[in-house]
Amino acid sequence: MGDNHVTMHILESSKVTVKTIQMTIDEHLLDEVDKATIALNTTRSAFIREALQVALRKHAVAQMEQQHAKGYSLFPLDEQELEDWAAEQVWEDD
């Protein structure tokens, strides 16, 4: 009986609120999505959710790359730092 309580607690803590949205999409793109959902044995909603998650991760990576580029432009490496790391890249033969 204790195991059921733990399982129910896990299920309760993993609830996700979902919202229904309406969107406009090009007919050709929708045809391609429908073909993909059939091939992947999934639904439009699941396919589009996953595509949005991928796009959001890609956006987050792009933002981090921009922050890194800005940081390096504000605080560029000096020649000595590059030389120090160059020695770390050398593989010695045994």
Side-chain angles (χ1 to χ4, degrees), residues 19-43:
K19 291 190 175 193
T20 301
I21 63 167
Q22 183 176 5
M23 61 185 287
T24 304
I25 187 169
D26 178 74
E27 188 173 344
H28 175 72
L29 182 57
L30 184 59
D31 289 342
E32 293 299 313
V33 167
D34 288 341
K35 289 176 189 174
T37 60
I38 291 168
L40 296 169
N41 193 31
T42 190
T43 63

Side-chain angles (χ1 to χ4, degrees), residues 9-74:
H9 178 69
I10 292 169
L11 290 174
E12 287 176 15
S13 66
S14 64
K15 287 183 180 178
V16 177
T17 302
V18 295
K19 291 190 175 193
T20 301
I21 63 167
Q22 183 176 5
M23 61 185 287
T24 304
I25 187 169
D26 178 74
E27 188 173 344
H28 175 72
L29 182 57
L30 184 59
D31 289 342
E32 293 299 313
V33 167
D34 288 341
K35 289 176 189 174
T37 60
I38 291 168
L40 296 169
N41 193 31
T42 190
T43 63
R44 280 183 184 169
S45 292
F47 183 85
I48 292 170
R49 255 192 317 274
E50 186 175 339
L52 290 171
Q53 290 168 343
V54 169
L56 289 170
R57 283 193 300 270
K58 184 177 175 181
H59 176 66
V61 168
Q63 284 184 314
M64 286 187 283
E65 289 173 345
Q66 287 176 349
Q67 288 176 337
H68 290 155
K70 183 179 179 181
Y72 280 113
S73 69
L74 293 173

Side-chain angles (χ1 to χ4, degrees), residues 72-83:
Y72 280 113
S73 69
L74 293 173
F75 305 100
L77 294 174
D78 63 26
E79 287 295 321
Q80 185 59 45
E81 285 179 287
L82 293 176
E83 290 174 16

Side-chain angles (χ1 to χ4, degrees), residues 1-6:
M1 186 164 186
D3 290 337
N4 290 340
H5 177 68
V6 172

